[in-house]
Amino acid sequence: MNRDEIRKALALVAGVLILIGVNYVIYCRENLLSAGEAVFLELAPVDPRSLMQGDYMALDFQAARDISEAFDSDDDRHPQRGVAVLRLDERGVGHFARLGECAALADDERCIRYQRRRGGFRFWRGGIQLSTNAFFFQEGTGERYEGARYGEFRVAPNGVALLKTLRGADLQLLDDAPMAPSAP
């Protein structure tokens, strides 16, 4: 085997390994979306004039604001990534309880991972991000989500969370809500 054939073989092996890795991540996320536990987080108030921007909605969650307030200052002693414990009410809505770990949780508690963002453009308060800070939807369907009051997350036991959809005030699905007729 000459040097060019070895390089081609290594490139092929590297490409196959990358594809396997990417597909594994996709499989894990799809599995979490279908089998993860549903936890609902209340959306924090956002100015409706800036709520819709293009084909996505900027999100801020009350739990993220509460986590931000749990830090005594914005200095560098606080970890950039961590775990927050949520206490679930009877409807499955999570409310921030404390900063902590995913071990030794009460029956009505779940953990969720967060990230602290510093600097740059922030449209979420305090720089705390839970899973995502935006919800993307099909072009022309934005009115359907104007009544959103909760985000439905699917949460794994280790605190990894993925936003599945948005819900209304009574936790009803908004995906099938009729859209307002467009003006002629």
Side-chain angles (χ1 to χ4, degrees), residues 36 54 59 71 81 88 107 133 139 154 157:
L59 299 178
F71 294 113
R81 297 173 189 262
L88 302 182
D107 289 342
N133 56 13
E139 185 176 348
R154 293 302 172 128

Side-chain angles (χ1 to χ4, degrees), residues 29-85:
R29 291 186 178 188
E30 288 292 331
N31 190 45
L32 179 57
L33 284 173
S34 65
E37 181 178 6
V39 173
F40 304 99
L41 294 181
E42 181 180 4
L43 290 168
V46 178
D47 183 355
R49 290 168 295 172
S50 65
L51 186 64
M52 299 298 187
Q53 300 174 3
D55 297 322
Y56 74 96
M57 180 187 297
L59 299 178
D60 191 10
F61 297 96
Q62 185 60 47
R65 290 183 176 190
D66 295 341
I67 292 168
S68 179
E69 291 174 10
F71 294 113
D72 56 2
S73 67
D74 198 27
D75 65 25
D76 289 331
R77 292 180 295 166
H78 301 294
Q80 226 173 331
R81 297 173 189 262
V83 174
V85 176

Side-chain angles (χ1 to χ4, degrees), residues 88-102:
L88 302 182
D89 65 15
E90 63 280 349
R91 298 186 317 154
V93 176
H95 304 277
F96 173 70
R98 65 185 180 282
L99 298 172
E101 296 295 326
C102 292

Side-chain angles (χ1 to χ4, degrees), residues 117-132:
R117 303 288 179 146
R118 289 187 175 81
F121 178 71
R122 293 190 255 181
F123 53 81
W124 56 91
R125 185 177 164 196
I128 299 295
Q129 182 177 340
L130 304 173
S131 179
T132 187

Side-chain angles (χ1 to χ4, degrees), residues 82-86 98-106 109-114 155-160:
V83 174
V85 176
L86 304 173
R98 65 185 180 282
L99 298 172
E101 296 295 326
C102 292
L105 297 174
E109 292 181 334
R110 303 297 180 271
C111 64
I112 190 167
R113 296 190 180 279
Y114 67 85
V155 181
N158 66 357
V160 172

Side-chain angles (χ1 to χ4, degrees), residues 158-169:
N158 66 357
V160 172
L162 293 175
L163 179 65
K164 184 171 183 177
T165 191
L166 298 180
R167 300 277 187 138

